[in-house]
Amino acid sequence: MSEGAVKKEEKPRKFQAIRGTRDLLPPETALWNRVEQTAREIFGTFGYGEIRPPIFEPTELFARSVGSRTDVVGKEMYTFNAAKELFTFENPSSNAPSPEAADNLGEFVYRIKDGFEKGDIPPTESNKQAVDSLLGKFSELVKVSQQLKPGFWQGSPPFLDAYTKLDAECRAIASKIRLGESISLRPEATASVCRAYIEHGMQQLPQPVKLYYMGPMFRRERPQKGRYRQFYQIGAEVLGGTDAPAIDAEVIEMVMTFFEKLELQGVQLDINSIGDRNCRPKYVELLRAELHKVKDKLGPDSQRRIDTNPLRVLDSKVKEEQSIIEKLPRIGDHLCKECADHYAAVKRELDLRGVKYRENWRLVRGLDYYMRTTFEITAQGLGSQDAVCGGGRYDGLVELLGGPLTKGIGFAIGEDRLILSLQESGKAPVALGRDVYIAWMGENARGTAVRAAKTLRNAGFSVELPPVEQKFGKALGQADKLGAKYALILGDNEVTSGEWTVKTLADGTQRKVSEQQLLDSLQKM
Ligand code: HAM
C-alpha cells in the first residue's frame, strides 16, 4: 500500500493545529489588520521604516544576543539542522547486502549530493571532495551489485565481500562531511534587526536608524491564555546615534500613542534602570550575597536562580517570597553616576511628553542584552500574562554581534495579548458584513448581475454574487445572515424593464433604480 493511503476500516486522521498555535480567522483578523495598520501609521509619523527579517536565523545569533542561559534560548527555541535531516539513513537489515540496503544507500548518497548542490551542506573544499568520492564509491558499489544475480544476494562470496567493504567505505566518507550550522525559528526579532544593521552597513545611513517589524515569533512555552508557541509581535528598534535620554522617552511615547489610538484600556507603564557594565555586576554580586542569606525561605525556582540569574528572583510572583524580596537591596541605590543621571533624564523627558509611568525597581527583563532603561506595559483583561509590551536599551548588542559600537533601544508588543485586551474591553469591531447581496434569478439576469457586481466592486462596495441562482426568498435570507446592508434584486422583470430593485435589509424598504443610477443611489444611502 502506498504511503498516505488509508486502510478501509480506519477513519482518516483529523488534523488539528499544533498545541500552542492557532488559526486567526475572520472576523477577528479584521481587528488584527486594523491594529497593524494603526501601528504602520503611528510609527510612520515617528519616522520609522519597516524591516522584514527572515523567520529563521543561525541559533548562535540568538544564543549570543538573548543569552544561552535565558529561558527563551536555553529552553524554548525551535532548533533544527537542515543538513542533519539528510543524514537519516534507513537501513532495515543493518548493512548486510540486500537489494533494499543498496536502494537505501543509493537514496542516501543522492540526498547528500542534492543537499550539497542546494547549499544545505556547506560548499567547502573538503565537503566537495567527500561528496565526489562518495559518488565514486557508490558507482563502484552499483557495478558490484549488478554482478550479484538477482535472488542470489546470499551467494557469490567475493562480490558480497566487495559490496560490504564498499558500503562501509561510503559510510566512512559520509561521516567526514561537515554539516551546516544549527538554525532556529526566531524567538524574538531584536537580534535579527541588529544582524541586519551590521550586514547592510546601516551605520553609513543617517543615524539613528529607526525600524519597525511585525510577524510571528516562536517559543516552546507552556501554552495558556495569552501565551502561545507561535505568537505575534509588533516591535521597533532605534539603532545608532546617541543614547540621549530623549530617544528612550520618545520610543516609549510612541508605544503609548499607539495604545491610546487603539483605546487600549487599563494601560500601565512600568520603568526601571538596570545599570550598565560598570555598576550592574557589583549590584548582582551584592544581591546574590543577600539572597544566599535568605535562601532557606525561598522556593526552589528562586533558589536555583540565586546562582544562575539572581536578578530574575526579583521577578518572582510566589506569594511567600514577596516580603523577603521587598527587603533586598535595590538597583536604584547602586547605579553608577552616569546611569543614575541617564535614568533621571529619561524620567524628565517622559514628563515633558506627558507620559505617565510608575517606577518599578523589580522590573528586570528576561533577556540578557538589556542595560539602563527597561520598561514593560500591562493592560487589562489579560489574567496572569498581562505584559503587552516589553523593551529597553541594549547599547552593547551590535558590538557583541561583531558590528561597530552602536547604541540601541526598542520594544516589542505581544500582538495576541493586545488583541485579547481590546476584545475583552469591547473595542473589537463587529463582524464586517457585505454592502450588497445580489439576488438574481433567470439566465437573462446572470449577465446583468455579473456586470452590476463588477461596477459596484470597482466603486469599493463589498459585494456577494451567488454563483448559482436562488429563489428570492432564500437569497434574501442568505443576505440577512451575511449581514448585508442592501439586496440588489435582479429578476426577468427588472432586466427587461431596466428598473432594478434595491432593498434596504434593516427596514425592508425597497426602491427602483436604473443601472445608471445604481452607484449614485447606493453612495447616497
Ligand atoms: P519579550 O518581553 O520577550 O521582549 O517579549 C515582548 C512581548 O511579547 C511580551 O511582553 C509579550 O506581550 C509578548 N510575548 C512574549 N512571549 C509570548 C508568548 N509565548 N505568547 C504571547 N505573547 C508573548 C522581546 O521579545 C524583546 N525582543 C523586546 C525588545 C525589542 N527589546 C528591545 N527591543
Side-chain angles (χ1 to χ4, degrees):
M1 193 165 60
S2 72
E3 225 180 284
V6 177
K7 279 193 213 143
K8 256 202 185 125
E9 330 69 79
E10 268 177 33
K11 273 201 180 159
R13 174 181 167 191
K14 282 200 185 124
F15 291 98
Q16 286 182 326
I18 287 170
R19 204 167 114 83
T21 73
R22 63 210 176 114
D23 301 302
L24 304 171
L25 304 170
E28 190 185 299
T29 38
L31 179 57
W32 285 72
N33 283 328
R34 199 189 81 191
V35 162
E36 289 166 13
Q37 186 52 32
T38 309
R40 291 177 194 286
E41 281 163 22
I42 301 281
F43 297 176
T45 64
F46 282 79
Y48 286 67
E50 184 177 1
I51 177 171
R52 298 190 189 194
I55 278 169
F56 51 89
E57 299 264 10
T59 303
E60 202 193 337
L61 173 71
F62 302 117
R64 255 216 261 166
S65 48
V66 175
S68 49
R69 292 202 306 187
T70 58
D71 286 355
V72 169
V73 166
K75 299 192 203 155
E76 297 166 1
M77 279 212 296
Y78 286 92
T79 296
F80 51 99
N81 186 324
K84 220 174 221 160
E85 280 151 34
L86 300 172
F87 271 69
T88 44
F89 177 20
E90 307 262 341
N91 198 347
S93 53
S94 73
N95 60 347
S98 72
E100 294 81 29
D103 279 355
N104 279 326
L105 183 62
E107 206 193 285
F108 170 70
V109 168
Y110 279 93
R111 243 185 349 218
I112 298 285
K113 174 176 178 278
D114 191 47
F116 184 73
E117 283 166 1
K118 284 201 301 211
D120 288 337
I121 294 174
T124 58
E125 192 48 39
S126 66
N127 278 350
K128 185 174 179 323
Q129 278 173 10
V131 173
D132 286 347
S133 70
L134 190 60
L135 287 167
K137 284 285 170 214
F138 182 66
S139 57
E140 275 180 50
L141 185 134
V142 171
K143 277 188 214 134
V144 169
S145 64
Q146 277 163 354
Q147 297 179 49
L148 290 167
K149 285 198 206 93
F152 291 93
W153 281 79
Q154 303 309 323
S156 321
F159 290 127
L160 284 181
D161 287 350
Y163 179 97
T164 310
K165 187 163 164 272
L166 284 166
D167 181 287
E169 282 172 354
C170 283
R171 286 162 197 268
I173 299 167
S175 71
K176 293 210 182 85
I177 293 175
R178 293 267 70 84
L179 295 183
E181 67 181 336
S182 151
I183 55 187
S184 293
L185 297 185
R186 62 182 187 192
E188 60 106 57
T190 309
S192 305
V193 175
C194 290
R195 196 250 323 120
Y197 180 86
I198 302 167
E199 186 173 338
H200 302 287
M202 289 192 220
Q203 68 270 22
Q204 310 299 338
L205 302 174
Q207 304 293 302
V209 173
K210 302 198 264 188
L211 298 166
Y212 74 85
Y213 50 84
M214 44 186 80
M217 308 290 155
F218 305 86
R219 296 183 191 176
R220 196 186 264 116
E221 294 192 84
R222 193 171 55 78
Q224 64 182 89
K225 181 182 170 189
R227 190 156 77 188
Y228 308 97
R229 291 181 162 187
Q230 174 173 338
F231 62 100
Y232 294 78
Q233 281 187 346
I234 300 178
E237 315 290 347
V238 182
L239 286 157
T242 77
D243 60 356
I247 294 189
D248 306 47
E250 195 185 78
V251 163
I252 296 174
E253 181 192 7
M254 182 168 88
V255 198
M256 296 303 270
T257 309
F258 172 53
F259 286 164
E260 223 167 88
K261 182 87 181 182
L262 293 173
E263 299 180 45
L264 185 67
Q265 301 296 298
V267 175
Q268 171 67 53
L269 162 67
D270 279 14
I271 62 166
N272 192 21
S273 172
I274 56 164
D276 66 4
R277 251 180 285 180
N278 278 328
C279 51
R280 196 179 40 227
K282 285 180 220 149
Y283 169 72
V284 170
E285 277 325 301
L286 175 68
L287 182 65
R288 183 175 276 138
E290 291 301 314
L291 283 169
H292 270 298
K293 291 185 196 159
V294 291
K295 186 170 180 179
D296 297 343
K297 296 188 198 135
L298 299 172
D301 281 343
S302 292
Q303 287 197 1
R304 196 165 22 84
R305 286 184 170 141
I306 297 180
D307 292 316
T308 56
N309 191 351
L311 284 174
R312 290 300 303 279
V313 177
L314 305 181
D315 235 4
S316 160
K317 306 266 183 319
V318 178
K319 216 166 134 221
E320 296 72 35
E321 296 179 351
Q322 301 308 308
S323 60
I324 304 165
I325 293 173
E326 279 304 315
K327 292 192 205 98
L328 291 169
R330 304 183 171 204
I331 179 110
D333 301 327
H334 298 272
L335 293 176
C336 59
K337 179 158 186 330
E338 290 75 14
C339 287
D341 288 350
H342 191 271
Y343 186 38
V346 170
K347 288 184 278 183
R348 277 200 304 278
E349 291 283 345
L350 285 171
D351 292 336
L352 200 64
R353 289 165 171 76
V355 175
K356 299 246 172 330
Y357 56 83
R358 177 171 71 185
E359 286 184 73
N360 178 358
W361 72 277
R362 286 177 57 181
L363 173 64
V364 290
R365 308 256 311 122
L367 317 175
D368 278 358
Y369 49 62
Y370 292 112
M371 49 98 65
R372 291 196 174 163
T373 313
T374 52
F375 57 96
E376 222 160 73
I377 302 171
T378 51
Q380 104 186 2
L382 292 174
S384 65
Q385 303 301 315
D386 62 351
V388 77
C389 174
R393 180 163 279 290
Y394 49 83
D395 290 350
L397 181 54
V398 170
E399 198 188 5
L400 190 70
L401 297 175
L405 244 181
T406 308
K407 310 289 181 194
I409 181 166
F411 64 81
I413 294 162
E415 193 176 357
D416 307 74
R417 295 183 191 175
L418 174 57
I419 300 279
L420 207 58
S421 179
L422 291 171
Q423 286 170 328
E424 300 269 319
S425 59
K427 292 286 168 206
V430 279
L432 271 182
R434 307 293 190 282
D435 295 321
V436 184
Y437 190 97
I438 303 185
W440 63 273
M441 248 188 102
E443 263 322 293
N444 287 341
R446 180 195 290 271
T448 312
V450 169
R451 198 168 69 236
K454 200 183 276 270
T455 311
L456 289 168
R457 285 175 179 150
N458 280 340
F461 287 98
S462 124
V463 177
E464 193 62 33
L465 175 66
V468 290
E469 71 175 357
Q470 296 165 321
K471 296 232 162 64
F472 286 125
K474 186 169 173 215
L476 292 174
Q478 191 72 4
D480 244 354
K481 277 192 212 143
L482 287 174
K485 286 197 208 112
Y486 309 107
L488 173 62
I489 300 172
L490 295 174
D492 280 341
N493 291 345
E494 282 80 3
V495 173
T496 324
S497 69
E499 290 279 283
W500 298 358
T501 306
V502 176
K503 180 169 178 154
T504 304
L505 289 156
D507 58 14
T509 55
Q510 300 202 51
R511 66 162 83 178
K512 295 269 182 200
V513 296
S514 69
E515 182 165 1
Q516 290 72 27
Q517 292 166 333
L518 177 69
L519 272 186
D520 202 36
S521 123
L522 281 177
Q523 275 155 348
K524 284 195 187 123
M525 278 167 102

